[in-house]
């Protein structure tokens, strides 16, 4: 099973370099907490290799134009740039990274599992639905959670 297929949210915590697969892993997770020292890069083209697997992991997380820029330029993005393009959800001082990640995990774990799973399913499925269907899908998930209580 992939991270996207998990019934619960996934979290990546980045401190230092997240290059190639590390960058893709940060992008495919549902949430990414980046330390101030975090750096993201897709360097494969510099070695004559197309990073198509990393690109597929990032495809619905950041714009295709941004992916193309990262691939062709092999430019390293700092934590602020990663946040600005949607690759990271938040930036924290490196010294606080572990505590902030633990607090986020604790917050999610306090919520009822059926509600957490419903949100994960909605976030995974709704983007591919016509806009008119998203409301009905959301209502169905909501009703399912209510009926389980």
């Amino acid at each position: 099973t992939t991270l996207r297929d998990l019934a619960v949210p996934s979290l990546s915590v980045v401190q230092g370099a997240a290059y190639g697969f590390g960058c893709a892993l940060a992008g495919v997770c549902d949430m990414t907490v980046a330390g101030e020292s975090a750096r993201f890069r897709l360097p494969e083209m510099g070695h004559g290799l197309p990073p198509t697997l990393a690109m597929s992991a990032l495809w619905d997380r950041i714009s295709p134009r941004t992916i193309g820029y990262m691939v062709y330029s092999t430019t390293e993005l700092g934590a602020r740039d990663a946040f600005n393009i949607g690759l990271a959800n938040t930036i924290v001082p490196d010294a606080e990274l572990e505590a902030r990640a633990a607090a986020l995990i604790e917050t999610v774990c306090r919520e009822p599992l059926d509600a957490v799973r419903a949100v994960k399913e909605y976030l995974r499925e709704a983007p591919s639905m016509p806009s008119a269907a998203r409301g009905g899908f959301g209502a169905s998930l909501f009703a399912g959670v209510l009926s389980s209580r």
Side-chain angles (χ1 to χ4, degrees):
T1 192
T2 67
L3 288 171
R4 290 178 195 255
D5 295 330
L6 292 175
V8 295
S10 55
L11 171 67
S12 64
V13 179
V14 180
Q15 183 176 17
Y19 289 179
F21 179 76
C23 181
L25 182 60
V28 78
C29 285
D30 296 301
M31 298 173 287
T32 297
V33 178
E36 290 174 330
S37 70
R39 300 177 322 278
F40 301 82
R41 185 172 175 223
L42 296 173
E44 291 85 351
M45 285 294 283
H47 305 287
L49 300 170
T52 50
L53 291 175
M55 293 168 70
S56 69
L58 298 172
W59 193 256
D60 64 344
R61 305 298 191 190
I62 60 178
S63 77
R65 182 178 170 126
T66 299
I67 294 170
Y69 176 76
M70 289 178 70
V71 169
Y72 293 130
S73 70
T74 70
T75 297
E76 180 181 272
L77 301 178
R80 179 67 45 206
D81 290 330
F83 174 79
N84 288 339
I85 66 168
L87 187 54
N89 297 105
T90 190
I91 304 166
V92 301
D94 285 340
E96 297 174 21
L97 192 57
E98 190 174 320
R100 291 285 293 275
L104 180 55
I105 292 167
E106 185 179 312
T107 298
V108 172
C109 289
R110 272 196 308 259
E111 301 304 326
L113 184 57
D114 58 347
V116 169
R117 286 181 170 172
V119 170
K120 170 81 180 210
E121 184 176 354
Y122 187 85
L123 291 171
R124 182 179 55 239
E125 301 297 333
S128 64
M129 295 179 172
S131 58
R134 287 187 205 123
F137 181 58
S140 173
L141 290 170
F142 185 81
V145 170
L146 285 181
S147 70
S148 69
R149 296 196 174 156

